[in-house]
Amino acid sequence: MTLRERALLARLRERDETAFTEVVRDYQNRVFNLVYRMIGSREEAEDLAQEVFVTVFKSIEQFRGDSKFSTWLYRIAANHCKNRIKYLSRRHTASGGLDGVPEQNLADGGRAPLSGHVDAPDAILEGREIEKLVQQAIAALDDEHRLLVLLRDVEELSYQEIVDITGLNEGTVKSRLHRARMQIKEYIDRHTGKGKG
Amino acid sequence: MPTSPPQPPPLDHAQVQELFSDFRDGSLDPARTEAVRTHLHGCASCRKEYMAFADTVSSLMKLKTPAPPDFVETVQGAIRRRSRGRFFARKPPRFPLELVSLITLMIMLVVYLFLTIGEPKKVREGTSPPKAPPGAPR
């Protein structure tokens, strides 16, 4: 844990409201994004992301600080996602994919967060189509593989962090991640007519 | 005469494709990295597959959906509601047990020292010749 994290943790344990606000501000996008991609419904994701933070605050006394705070938070988020998926599947309301056309980047004016330039309209359209396909491909994965892809490729965590979050060993993480990436690639190939035949 | 390190055997298509993830993540050892690079250089089919694979991973990295704008307030509201406003309430000041223990110990030490050091003095001050045993001549 960094010094900043230690200081923040001490304030959280004192139930300092500004510290809690700081945590939500710092992690809201990452948690929301993970939960949204795992669950596939924006409405469910809003509710679940909220639950994640409530759990974090309620259990802050149990966080011993032997891992990074973000790792602990992601672990809580991952567990919540698994439980919610089970619950939704029992209620038969789980949908097969993310709801609607991706609303990614609508909040920032349609600019891709990782791109440093303004795309031409055709490129934006094509980009959104690809993004939609990628989302569908992620939704088609099973929960375990989806989580690994999201943690590694969407959240861009290190293998060690993923090991700490999931409790899997590094070899398992790597082989499952590879399988998941290949499945996504094959899905995209099939739906763009680039498949091998 | 120095000999170059033994080269690993060339990889076939399936082996190369199994290593796409590690190759992209840069987690292969130098010899394997070179073996994959050599294969991709000479194999148009695997090169095409790898390009599509790398594009897929790049597309994943662009999937960022921000939380709703009022998310922070929503979470704060949920915590307040569920704890009936008590969660963020200041904890009552903690009774300083350590300080009280320390002061008590110090007082006990002072009393002990006073008793043990003061006692012989009192004895000395009140010293009188030992009483003669009964029946002894006065």
Side-chain angles (χ1 to χ4, degrees):
Chain A
M1 267 209 312
T2 62
L3 278 177
R4 183 185 173 270
E5 276 191 332
R6 277 182 207 286
L8 183 66
L9 186 60
R11 287 167 57 211
L12 288 173
R13 286 184 174 144
E14 289 295 316
R15 296 189 183 180
D16 175 349
E17 190 166 357
T18 55
F20 280 90
T21 307
E22 212 174 296
V23 167
V24 182
R25 277 195 211 291
D26 282 357
Y27 293 100
Q28 59 176 340
N29 290 337
R30 279 177 274 180
V31 168
F32 182 79
N33 197 35
L34 175 71
V35 164
Y36 174 49
R37 305 287 163 187
M38 278 299 287
I39 300 294
S41 148
R42 191 172 182 103
E43 197 184 332
E44 286 287 345
E46 285 184 26
D47 180 60
L48 193 53
Q50 211 184 102
E51 284 300 317
V52 170
F53 284 105
V54 170
T55 304
V56 165
F57 299 157
K58 272 164 62 182
S59 339
I60 195 69
E61 302 286 346
Q62 292 163 27
F63 176 56
R64 295 188 305 274
D66 45 11
S67 67
K68 279 168 72 178
F69 179 76
S70 59
T71 303
W72 182 66
L73 195 151
Y74 273 118
R75 201 180 302 143
I76 291 174
N79 287 336
H80 267 289
C81 286
K82 284 179 191 168
N83 293 339
R84 184 65 65 99
I85 289 168
K86 270 188 211 157
Y87 170 76
L88 290 174
S89 65
R90 276 202 300 270
R91 288 183 58 199
H92 303 289
T93 55
S95 60
L98 294 165
D99 47 20
V101 178
E103 58 267 74
Q104 180 218 337
N105 312 332
L106 290 183
D108 63 356
R111 187 164 42 89
L114 297 180
S115 67
H117 64 283
V118 179
D119 294 321
D122 283 355
I124 292 171
L125 194 64
E126 193 190 347
R128 290 203 174 148
E129 285 302 312
I130 289 170
E131 187 192 321
K132 191 178 169 186
L133 257 183
V134 173
Q135 286 182 341
Q136 288 168 352
I138 291 174
L141 297 173
D142 68 52
D143 305 341
E144 290 286 341
H145 286 81
R146 193 185 314 142
L147 179 64
L148 294 178
V149 163
L150 293 175
L151 292 176
R152 177 67 186 170
D153 292 334
V154 180
E155 300 301 318
E156 299 177 53
L157 301 185
S158 69
Y159 281 116
Q160 187 52 53
E161 284 172 301
I162 298 172
V163 165
D164 292 342
I165 291 166
T166 58
L168 299 170
N169 66 48
E170 193 172 320
T172 307
V173 169
K174 283 185 171 179
S175 65
R176 287 188 187 175
L177 177 69
H178 177 68
R179 215 173 307 144
R181 284 168 164 178
M182 288 303 273
Q183 281 178 33
I184 294 171
K185 176 193 162 294
E186 282 156 18
Y187 185 98
I188 294 170
D189 285 351
R190 271 200 309 277
H191 288 81
T192 52
K194 291 178 187 167
K196 282 176 180 174
Chain B
M1 192 174 147
T3 54
S4 57
Q7 293 295 312
L11 302 168
D12 63 28
H13 306 297
Q15 286 172 321
V16 166
Q17 292 188 17
E18 270 305 303
L19 295 173
F20 275 179
S21 274
D22 288 329
F23 182 70
R24 196 202 168 278
D25 290 347
S27 54
L28 284 179
D29 61 65
R32 283 238 159 162
T33 303
E34 197 46 44
V36 173
R37 193 172 287 142
T38 304
H39 183 99
L40 292 179
H41 188 70
C43 175
S45 164
C46 284
R47 196 164 56 242
K48 190 179 155 207
E49 285 296 305
Y50 179 71
M51 298 288 274
F53 177 85
D55 281 350
T56 300
V57 178
S58 300
S59 305
L60 288 165
M61 287 176 166
K62 291 179 184 164
L63 296 179
K64 311 280 185 199
T65 304
D70 59 347
F71 187 74
V72 176
E73 291 74 25
T74 313
V75 173
Q76 283 173 333
I79 292 174
R80 282 215 180 84
R81 216 170 32 251
R82 290 193 201 182
S83 70
R84 295 187 188 137
R86 287 195 297 263
F87 190 81
F88 291 126
R90 284 229 165 266
K91 283 182 178 176
R94 205 173 138 270
F95 190 70
L97 269 180
E98 297 87 351
L99 189 64
V100 171
S101 309
L102 185 70
I103 291 171
T104 310
L105 276 174
M106 285 175 72
I107 291 172
M108 287 169 71
L109 185 68
V110 169
V111 169
Y112 172 77
L113 288 174
F114 177 77
L115 289 176
T116 52
I117 296 171
E119 194 63 25
K121 201 177 171 189
K122 261 200 260 175
V123 171
R124 270 198 307 276
E125 276 170 1
T127 302
S128 53
K131 283 183 183 175
R138 292 192 175 197

